[in-house]
Amino acid sequence: MTDLVVVGSGLFGLTVAERMADRGAKVLLLERRSRVGGNASSAVEPATGIEVHTYGSHLFHTSNERVWAYVNRFTAFTPYVHRVYSTHRGEVFPMPITLGTINQFFRSALGPAAARALLAEQAAELGGKTPANLDEQGVSLIGRPLYEAFIRGYTAKQWQTDPRDLPASVLARLPVRYTYDNRYFNDTHEGLPVDGYQPWLERMVDHPNIEVRLEVDFLDPTQPFHRDALVGQVPIVYTGPLDRYFDAAEGELSWRTLDFEQEVLPVGDFQGTSVMNYPDADVAYTRIHEFRHFHPERRHPDDATVIMREYSRFARPGDEPYYPVRTPADRRLLLAYRARAAGEQQVFFGGRLGTYQYLDMHMAIASALTMVDETVGPAVGGSH
Ligand code: FDA
């Protein structure tokens, strides 16, 4: 007998399944893809033995002690610290914008106060006018020179839209550090799973109370674990796309997707770092990932490396949804779908697709733990 069906085996679904199984519930976990893990999953590239993050670089970081303690039950973490660089007009700069970036860019030796004053002066270009679009917003946050070098082209490529035609709200803030610290994340804990993402994710559901069914689409009416056969029969945690659950009856929520171009190169090191941004408009990709650099502690070949070029665009039907666009029209749709979701009997919507919001891994886990505590646990729990 099944006490709970979980649809989707990303970190949200895995956490719910594991916590509920630990409480004694019999869990059926359905996953459309051929392996568990959702977008955090990874695979070993066979020719080189290098672990590749299939859906783009995944860096684990959190300041949430409960989440940190929880994930450490399934994996240890390396001391990896993420740093990003950016190639602009043939020159490499540290990202995010730090005092190092500013002094390199302006060929200066400014201290923090002088750098702050320079950016404030450049940012005052609009003379107090409220920014009317993303371009003006960028200038008002960090001044035109740095905005045009590092943000404008990158944002245009991410959105495939001229920043003058994007709303100012897309760029709420642009972090600038007036120190030389170019550590990418500020969280208390950071690292990568010692033996890789996939073993970590698979260990989470290696439990006698969890049955995993791969290559099963909950929304495919031709298969037995279809929505219409299960809803109302058993509690369900659904982490697939919110609009698809309702057959897009209100319209489609819009997403950005990414295209990844993976290549094995016959060199021991291609770029000397894990992630290099390409903000210039004349380069089609936004970043290049080189996976060997995530694990300097591992033995990798001296004569081969794996890189992945990342391209960004609006998702079309059938594309993987990656980042919610959240236009005003999307927000209206979201409210309509939330109202529908509230009317579903014993169906709990969670995760980044089920709630139409970007979630880092630690946020997906935290939100799943809360759902188990507050709603799914009590709803299923009675007899356990
Ligand atoms: P996720 O998308 O992982 O899982 C949903 C699962 O549901 C998928 O496996 C899907 O196949 C399945 N599914 C959907 N519909 C279904 C259906 N009808 N039937 C059956 N199964 C179905 N986070 C971070 O902390 N650090 C990072 O560096 C990054 N980097 C990053 C890069 C990119 C490009 C993206 C898009 C995301 C990140 N993330 C990240 C975020 C991270 O990927 C995210 O936190 C998790 O994917 C969230 O887990 P979920 O379970 O919510 O969704």
Side-chain angles (χ1 to χ4, degrees):
M1 215 206 56
T2 299
D3 300 310
L4 174 70
V5 173
V6 175
V7 180
S9 68
L11 273 164
F12 193 98
L14 292 176
T15 303
V16 171
E18 190 280 332
R19 286 291 76 206
M20 291 304 298
D22 186 67
R23 291 179 177 212
K26 297 276 183 217
V27 180
L28 174 64
L29 178 61
L30 305 178
E31 170 55 54
R32 199 162 53 94
R33 294 179 181 161
S34 55
R35 58 193 167 140
V36 300
N39 279 11
S41 66
S42 71
V44 173
E45 196 288 318
T48 58
I50 295 173
E51 180 189 2
V52 170
H53 301 173
T54 312
Y55 301 94
S57 291
H58 273 66
L59 294 313
F60 192 83
H61 55 97
T62 188
S63 297
N64 182 322
E65 294 300 335
R66 186 181 183 200
V67 168
W68 184 240
Y70 180 65
V71 296
N72 273 275
R73 294 166 69 153
F74 308 102
T75 180
F77 287 83
T78 69
Y80 177 83
V81 170
H82 195 45
R83 295 180 203 279
V84 173
Y85 294 86
S86 187
T87 296
H88 167 60
R89 293 202 184 141
E91 193 174 344
V92 176
F93 296 85
M95 281 289 116
I97 296 170
T98 64
L99 202 48
T101 321
I102 294 169
N103 278 328
Q104 184 181 345
F105 186 80
F106 292 110
R107 298 282 189 273
S108 56
L110 304 175
R116 214 180 272 275
L118 175 70
L119 262 61
E121 185 192 314
Q122 293 178 343
E125 183 188 313
L126 295 182
K129 174 180 163 236
T130 305
N133 54 49
L134 190 146
D135 227 25
E136 294 186 359
Q137 172 80 347
V139 171
S140 76
L141 288 171
I142 57 170
R144 186 174 297 278
L146 290 171
Y147 166 71
E148 289 191 344
F150 298 112
I151 312 296
R152 187 177 206 287
Y154 196 84
T155 311
K157 283 193 276 189
Q158 274 185 317
W159 294 92
Q160 300 283 291
T161 304
D162 188 311
R164 282 170 297 199
D165 298 326
L166 288 168
S169 58
V170 169
L171 209 62
R173 48 189 285 279
L174 278 174
V176 174
R177 287 201 204 130
Y178 294 97
T179 66
Y180 289 91
D181 175 12
N182 74 324
R183 200 179 154 151
Y184 201 73
F185 300 112
N186 293 318
D187 280 313
T188 321
H189 305 290
E190 177 176 356
L192 292 171
V194 167
D195 56 356
Y197 276 98
Q198 200 58 30
W200 162 23
L201 302 166
E202 287 175 9
R203 275 198 288 273
M204 286 182 74
V205 285
D206 181 9
H207 191 291
N209 283 347
I210 302 176
E211 183 189 351
V212 178
R213 295 278 185 132
L214 300 173
E215 297 178 359
V216 171
D217 186 336
F218 177 70
L219 301 177
D220 173 0
T222 65
Q223 59 83 29
F225 300 108
H226 179 240
R227 175 191 59 197
D228 297 345
L230 295 177
V231 171
Q233 307 300 314
V234 56
I236 295 169
V237 171
Y238 175 83
T239 73
L242 179 59
D243 52 356
R244 281 199 57 206
Y245 179 94
F246 297 103
D247 299 322
E250 305 278 350
E252 289 195 355
L253 291 163
S254 50
W255 293 84
R256 276 195 302 120
T257 192
L258 301 174
D259 295 314
F260 295 113
E261 193 180 88
Q262 187 176 315
E263 199 177 343
V264 176
L265 298 176
V267 292
D269 194 348
F270 171 71
Q271 62 184 15
T273 194
S274 48
V275 178
M276 178 69 73
N277 287 357
Y278 285 87
D280 294 350
D282 56 358
V283 179
Y285 40 84
T286 50
R287 322 191 250 189
I288 296 182
H289 311 260
E290 186 176 13
F291 293 99
R292 65 185 302 127
H293 294 292
F294 286 131
H295 289 281
E297 79 286 359
R298 291 184 187 165
R299 281 179 63 84
H300 287 132
D302 299 330
D303 57 355
T305 194
V306 185
I307 65 161
M308 201 149 92
R309 296 182 197 86
E310 178 178 319
Y311 302 80
S312 177
R313 61 179 172 78
F314 284 100
R316 295 186 289 260
D319 287 331
E320 284 292 340
Y322 281 119
Y323 299 105
V325 176
R326 297 181 83 89
T327 60
D330 287 321
R331 285 165 210 251
R332 282 193 294 278
L333 277 185
L334 180 58
L335 291 179
Y337 282 122
R338 278 193 191 147
R340 282 179 177 252
E344 286 292 286
Q345 284 299 309
Q346 297 276 84
V347 183
F348 304 91
F349 294 80
R352 62 180 197 99
L353 301 168
T355 57
Y356 190 61
Q357 60 178 328
Y358 178 80
L359 296 174
D360 267 331
M361 292 182 278
H362 66 107
M363 296 157 79
I365 295 165
S367 145
L369 292 173
T370 303
M371 181 184 270
V372 168
D373 289 345
E374 294 179 0
T375 49
V376 174
V380 176
S383 59
H384 302 290

